[in-house]
Amino acid sequence: MELSVNTNKVVPEEERQRTIETIQYIVIRLGDEQYGIDIRNIETITRMQHVTRVPKMPPYLKGVINLRGVVIPVMSIRLRMNLDNDEITKNTRIIVLKLAEEGNVGFIVDEVREVVTLDVDNIEKIADGTKEGKTNLINAVGKHNGELISLFDLNAISLES
């Protein structure tokens, strides 16, 4: 969408509010919590499948999958966030993300819930409370229909510990 600005025209407040930037997120579930992933970074979502283990990898790196002829590393985002191990159910999915530094990486998630559109006004950055040099994977919280959704900082996700 292309916007043009007419500097000779006074824009009413209600018209300015209609042009607020919005971002779409896929809402996923990990345990009892909801998390959001910017939809622009999602390559595909697939059902859970056999993950081939790769020796000498950190525990949160579950292995690799072959998706349409492409080998993709798969990460347990639960283990990466120091949560309990994954419980594989019929709702478990692998979300393949396009990351700038790592290329395509699969995330194991408990469930994909919905797509939500958040106004930037409903997204609040959170303070970086990192310890021991560990990167915090959550950088903001979104408010949607009275609920809070923790938003992933995909730039902080790395295959290395």
Side-chain angles (χ1 to χ4, degrees):
M1 178 170 76
E2 194 172 311
L3 297 175
S4 61
V5 178
N6 183 348
T7 57
N8 298 326
K9 179 180 171 188
V10 175
V11 179
E13 178 66 24
E14 59 273 2
E15 190 174 326
R16 273 198 310 252
Q17 287 180 351
R18 277 187 252 134
T19 62
I20 293 174
E21 182 184 353
T22 60
I23 303 171
Q24 286 190 310
Y25 290 89
I26 291 275
V27 177
I28 61 158
R29 185 179 59 78
L30 295 176
D32 296 330
E33 300 294 322
Q34 293 189 113
Y35 297 88
I37 300 173
D38 188 332
I39 202 166
R40 295 173 292 191
N41 296 97
I42 295 177
E43 182 74 28
T44 190
I45 299 172
T46 184
R47 292 187 182 277
M48 188 63 191
Q49 56 186 280
H50 174 72
V51 177
T52 303
R53 185 83 181 130
V54 177
K56 298 184 181 182
M57 297 300 284
Y60 62 85
L61 284 174
K62 293 298 190 177
V64 295
I65 60 172
N66 183 342
L67 189 64
R68 295 185 286 279
V70 178
V71 176
I72 298 173
V74 175
M75 174 189 296
S76 167
I77 198 66
R78 281 173 154 259
L79 293 180
R80 185 72 173 91
M81 294 173 63
N82 296 320
L83 301 173
D84 293 336
N85 203 354
D86 298 291
E87 294 178 26
I88 307 302
T89 69
K90 64 181 179 62
N91 294 324
T92 303
R93 298 290 184 265
I94 297 175
I95 297 180
V96 178
L97 302 170
K98 299 175 282 192
L99 301 181
E101 296 292 317
E102 306 289 347
N104 286 354
V105 176
F107 269 22
I108 298 173
V109 301
D110 294 350
E111 179 183 14
V112 174
R113 299 193 98 160
E114 62 183 327
V115 176
V116 298
T117 302
L118 299 178
D119 295 342
V120 292
D121 292 346
N122 288 327
I123 298 173
E124 294 195 21
K125 298 285 183 195
I126 56 176
D128 187 11
T130 61
K131 297 182 207 167
E132 305 165 12
K134 289 185 180 176
T135 307
N136 191 356
L137 299 179
I138 305 299
N139 70 344
V141 174
K143 294 177 245 174
H144 180 71
N145 292 340
E147 294 184 331
L148 297 179
I149 302 168
S150 299
L151 304 176
F152 280 110
D153 177 6
L154 297 179
N155 295 322
I157 295 171
S158 170
L159 295 179
E160 301 184 16
S161 50

